[in-house]
Amino acid sequence: MLAPGDREFAGNAADYRAGFGSPELSALTTALSRLVATSDGVAEAVTHHDRLALTRCNEQAEVLVAEVSNLAAALTAEDRTILNEVGVTALSERLAAGSRRNAYLIEQAWAVDAALMRLLLGLGKVGADGTVGGYSANPGPSYVDREA
């Protein structure tokens, strides 16, 4: 059974609706569906810390964005009137939500990496009294002694 928002189900539903309008509109709907799937791939790659998959997804996304831009420019006025009926609007909304999700996941990955680096770098520091400092060790006074 497919869950709501499953990529296969969403892709098939978009492909079914893509039969309406001009061939450019059908191609646009298909390209947007593939771009949404690539966005989901980015989220999976970031979640699993898979740099190779992330690079591959980014390369695919660059190609798809160029394709979507060309197809959108080629739409006729009649095609633009039925964008909502063929699912382009819904796909665009899913793509925007996926972009926000990916930005959040990437921000969290950077924060975790930064915290890990602070932890690793702070483990080897020796304090003034000879004790080894830890992650949250007090760095000492933050004032300058002018009489020294």
Side-chain angles (χ1 to χ4, degrees):
M1 176 173 226
L2 297 173
D6 192 351
R7 285 186 293 185
E8 291 179 26
F9 177 72
N12 291 339
D15 291 340
Y16 175 76
R17 291 183 300 219
F20 300 108
S22 69
E24 290 83 11
L25 185 57
S26 297
L28 176 65
T29 306
T30 302
L32 282 173
S33 297
R34 292 192 337 243
L35 192 56
V36 167
T38 302
S39 175
D40 293 342
V42 168
E44 188 173 328
V46 170
T47 303
H48 291 103
H49 305 285
D50 188 352
R51 189 178 68 85
L52 296 176
L54 181 61
T55 302
R56 187 178 62 249
C57 287
N58 285 335
E59 291 169 355
Q60 290 173 353
E62 287 178 9
V63 171
L64 288 170
V65 165
E67 182 181 346
V68 166
S69 295
N70 292 337
L71 290 168
L75 291 179
T76 64
E78 293 173 359
D79 288 339
R80 293 182 191 280
T81 61
I82 60 170
L83 289 177
N84 195 29
E85 287 82 14
V86 296
V88 171
T89 307
L91 287 170
S92 297
E93 290 171 359
R94 280 192 61 201
L95 193 56
S99 296
R100 288 188 301 271
R101 174 202 59 215
N102 291 347
Y104 175 76
L105 289 173
I106 291 169
E107 180 182 350
Q108 292 302 311
W110 276 98
V112 167
D113 286 346
L116 181 61
M117 290 305 294
R118 284 193 308 270
L119 176 65
L120 291 174
L121 293 175
L123 287 177
K125 293 184 180 177
V126 177
D129 58 353
T131 61
V132 177
Y135 179 65
S136 63
N138 186 3
S142 60
Y143 59 88
V144 177
D145 186 5
R146 301 275 181 199
E147 296 180 18

